[in-house]
Amino acid sequence: MSVLVTLPEWVDSKDYFTREFKTDEEMMALAIELSEVNISEETGGPFGCAIYERNLETGKVTLIAVGVNRVTALGNSCLHGETVAIQMAQKKLNTFTLQIPENKLKKQYELFTSCEPCCMCLGATLWSGVARMVCAATKADACAIGFDEGPVFEASYDHLKKAGIDITRNLLRDDAAAVLKRYGETGLMY
């Protein structure tokens, strides 16, 4: 028996990996775009995530992996946008952690997610090796349309910070919350 994790076909038809990213807003805009396309293409829920590699010497940012919610499409409750992106990044880099010792002073990996993570995805973020997590919409925004994000508290974020993960929240929140609201209006919930 095996488990196969795939991205929707539309991901390959986009120019995501050829784009230049200079600002956090540009990086977050992609995560939000992924969430929006995922619902418009009916390939999953309204959550998108992008993982970037930042060269600490030059500041150059490169997109490494993307993820979207694949829960219903692949019949797997663990395939949230963040967990899919983490798995894709680790597969691409052939490593179980994005905190690669030989890169520590040269590169870091940053996770941009269209919504604050649920409890499962916060745990995955902790173990993933990312140095930074940036969130758009809030837990309250997701709960407002019927999602249960589980036991996520300020102490959860404090734990990530103590583990060395830099956290930024509410970046482009209104844009991401609007995608969630549109999804909520469809009545499609799992």
Side-chain angles (χ1 to χ4, degrees), residues 54-75:
R54 184 179 301 274
N55 183 312
L56 297 175
E57 295 170 344
T58 66
K60 182 176 176 166
V61 172
T62 305
L63 178 64
I64 294 297
V66 298
V68 291
N69 179 286
R70 301 289 282 152
V71 170
T72 57
L74 297 178

Side-chain angles (χ1 to χ4, degrees), residues 38 43 54 59 65 67-68 70 74 82 97 104 107 124-125 131 134 145 158-159 162 187:
N38 204 40
T43 51
R54 184 179 301 274
V68 291
R70 301 289 282 152
L74 297 178
E82 297 91 343
T97 180
K104 191 166 185 160
K107 300 175 184 176
T125 300
V134 182
I145 65 163
D158 291 341
H159 188 86
K162 286 178 188 168

Side-chain angles (χ1 to χ4, degrees), residues 84-104:
V84 171
I86 290 165
Q87 290 178 71
M88 295 299 173
Q90 290 175 341
K91 179 69 173 171
K92 183 174 188 173
L93 298 170
N94 194 31
T95 180
F96 69 91
T97 180
L98 299 177
Q99 192 173 48
I100 304 167
E102 59 268 19
N103 288 344
K104 191 166 185 160

Side-chain angles (χ1 to χ4, degrees), residues 46-48 82 113-118 135-139 141-142 149 176 180:
F47 303 99
E82 297 91 343
T113 180
S114 66
C115 186
E116 291 175 341
C118 70
C135 310
T138 65
K139 174 184 177 178
D141 297 326
E149 300 301 274
L180 289 173

Side-chain angles (χ1 to χ4, degrees), residues 38-39 43-47 68-73 75-82 118 120-121 142 145-149 180 183 186-190:
N38 204 40
I39 59 173
T43 51
F47 303 99
V68 291
N69 179 286
R70 301 289 282 152
V71 170
T72 57
N76 184 330
S77 63
C78 295
L79 297 182
H80 293 195
E82 297 91 343
C118 70
M120 176 183 70
C121 292
I145 65 163
F147 283 100
D148 180 353
E149 300 301 274
L180 289 173
Y183 181 77
T186 67
L188 298 172
M189 294 302 282
Y190 62 88

Side-chain angles (χ1 to χ4, degrees), residues 172-187:
L172 302 181
R173 177 186 177 188
D174 291 343
D175 296 344
V179 174
L180 289 173
K181 186 176 179 202
R182 279 194 297 281
Y183 181 77
E185 290 167 354
T186 67

